[in-house]
Amino acid sequence: AKPFIYQEEDKIRRQSTLSVLIKLLDTILRLLHPFMPFITEEIWQKIRHLVDSKYETLAEDRFPEGKFLSGSITDTDKDAEMKTKIVMEIVSTLRNFRSEHQIENSRKFALLINKDLRLSDLESAALIKLANIESFNTITGKPDKSFVLPLTEFSIELYVRAEGVIDFERERLRLKKELEKSEKDIISTK
């Protein structure tokens, strides 16, 4: 939600995102109220004017109801859930890749994916923002001189072109140090 709250171009998207977050917070507070009445009441009092409640206290207001409680999840919900899992996994994989190869978070690069994810414009924008990439494209085949990052759960492969992203000399030194450390560990265990 952060990318849509802090952007200035689309005021309607920003407002609808904030509305959803307020509704979500209200629902969470209602669900937690029986277990944590004092703190949930305190927080709810701060947002009461935003949720437009006719009640003075959270305890008086009704407990949440809805499809998430009744178990009637639609195919659309399942599709959205799957897309969200894939986007989260891509973001996590790319963050691990950046960390492992000591790539600055400010450095952006293009991402290539071997499968069409069928993301909406909104979902694509979220992926680009959260993964901090320039863009992503669907390709067939494996590009030359690229890192392969498999997402086995989803049968997806991510490709990051090494050129321009990785400092090869620094990477060689890092791997050499790692190899030397591993060799010392092996010798010390004998």
Side-chain angles (χ1 to χ4, degrees):
K2 278 175 37 179
F4 308 116
I5 293 173
Y6 293 113
Q7 57 87 22
E8 296 294 326
E9 299 83 42
D10 190 346
K11 302 280 186 204
I12 295 171
R13 180 176 288 165
R14 181 176 188 270
Q15 191 57 45
S16 67
T17 302
L18 287 170
S19 297
V20 168
L21 289 174
I22 290 167
K23 177 67 176 160
L24 180 65
L25 178 59
D26 178 49
T27 303
I28 289 169
L29 291 173
R30 290 166 192 264
L31 290 169
L32 284 175
H33 190 68
F35 306 102
M36 303 167 59
F38 299 109
I39 193 162
T40 54
E41 185 68 46
E42 185 72 24
I43 296 169
W44 189 80
Q45 287 299 323
K46 303 283 186 203
I47 66 162
R48 189 180 88 188
H49 67 285
L50 297 172
V51 296
D52 197 30
S53 177
K54 62 183 177 183
Y55 298 101
E56 293 293 318
T57 66
L58 183 57
E60 292 177 291
D61 217 335
R62 66 186 201 291
F63 200 71
E65 298 172 2
K67 66 180 179 184
F68 64 93
L69 295 176
S70 66
S72 61
I73 297 176
T74 66
D75 288 339
T76 305
D77 294 336
K78 289 178 184 176
D79 184 48
E81 184 180 351
M82 181 57 70
K83 284 182 180 180
T84 301
K85 283 181 181 179
I86 290 171
V87 168
M88 287 172 50
E89 189 64 28
I90 290 171
V91 169
S92 176
T93 300
L94 289 175
R95 287 180 179 174
N96 289 338
F97 173 76
R98 283 179 186 275
S99 175
E100 183 179 322
H101 295 283
Q102 300 171 352
I103 301 170
E104 302 86 25
N105 286 332
S106 61
R107 181 176 282 181
K108 294 186 177 189
F109 50 82
L111 178 67
L112 304 171
I113 304 174
N114 74 333
K115 188 176 187 180
D116 184 9
L117 303 178
R118 288 186 236 110
L119 298 178
S120 69
D121 291 343
L122 188 63
E123 294 161 336
S124 296
L127 173 59
I128 289 169
K129 180 72 174 174
L130 293 171
N132 198 25
I133 55 176
E134 284 177 356
S135 62
F136 69 93
N137 294 303
T138 305
I139 62 163
T140 56
K142 182 181 180 226
D144 292 336
K145 297 182 182 176
S146 61
F147 288 94
V148 179
L149 308 170
L151 304 179
T152 53
E153 180 182 352
F154 306 106
S155 301
I156 296 174
E157 287 184 344
L158 309 177
Y159 304 102
V160 176
R161 293 190 196 273
E163 200 167 320
V165 175
I166 301 292
D167 180 348
F168 291 108
E169 191 55 40
R170 194 168 87 185
E171 185 67 9
R172 258 189 223 98
L173 289 172
R174 183 186 73 80
L175 291 172
K176 185 178 177 182
K177 286 179 185 177
E178 200 173 294
L179 180 63
E180 289 169 358
K181 183 182 181 301
S182 296
E183 288 171 345
K184 285 179 184 177
D185 288 346
I186 290 171
I187 292 170
S188 68
T189 57
K190 289 184 179 181

